[in-house]
Amino acid sequence: MHPSFDDAALRCEGTSIRLLASQCSRCENISFPCRERCAKCYAPATQIELAEAGTVLSHCAAAFPIAGAQPPVTIAQVRIGDADIEILGVSADPVRIGDVVSVVPRSAGTEDSLFTTYGFEKESRDA
């Protein structure tokens, strides 16, 4: 695995990744990516790891290239775990609203400067 594209958003360990967010010590607001202070009340915030899966809320197909993916690209808006946080990411598979997806690593960049980012992969209904 390559270094993280953003150490405030993603921790790379071995072959796994974790999305990093922050939770406010005062109002408990959760922000992604991780930040030192709350986006709502500016109180100190603590780093937390987000769940490894979420539910697709919306999606679209993009006809333009995105780092590490060739068009057409599926972009999904996903509510992560029980945290009241929604993030966008590239999905390896076509998805539908309500699908459960896992957070997976994606490589992006150029051959001499690769980094790891995140994306989504639809979870098997047979699992």
Side-chain angles (χ1 to χ4, degrees):
M1 187 158 334
H2 308 287
S4 171
F5 80 108
D6 181 352
D7 291 335
L10 187 69
R11 177 180 296 134
C12 300
E13 295 176 346
T15 58
S16 69
I17 62 168
R18 292 303 298 232
L19 295 177
L20 302 176
S22 54
Q23 186 165 24
C24 178
S25 60
R26 182 184 303 150
C27 72
E28 298 185 358
N29 178 58
I30 296 175
S31 297
F32 175 81
C34 186
R35 46 189 302 147
E36 290 183 24
R37 298 209 166 261
C38 177
K40 285 187 174 181
C41 71
Y42 208 62
T46 303
Q47 184 181 80
I48 62 171
E49 291 184 351
L50 294 176
E52 296 177 12
T55 304
V56 175
L57 301 176
S58 180
H59 60 89
C60 68
F64 51 85
I66 293 177
Q70 292 301 314
V73 175
T74 299
I75 300 172
Q77 178 181 5
V78 175
R79 172 166 287 135
I80 298 296
D82 293 333
D84 192 21
I85 191 100
E86 299 170 11
I87 63 173
L88 294 174
V90 172
S91 175
D93 309 299
V95 294
R96 294 192 293 194
I97 293 172
D99 282 346
V100 176
V101 293
S102 297
V103 177
V104 295
R106 294 182 49 247
S107 291
T110 61
E111 280 189 38
D112 58 340
S113 180
L114 287 173
F115 57 90
T116 297
T117 184
Y118 66 89
F120 302 113
E121 185 174 273
K122 192 161 52 169
E123 290 189 353
S124 170
R125 294 187 187 266
D126 298 332

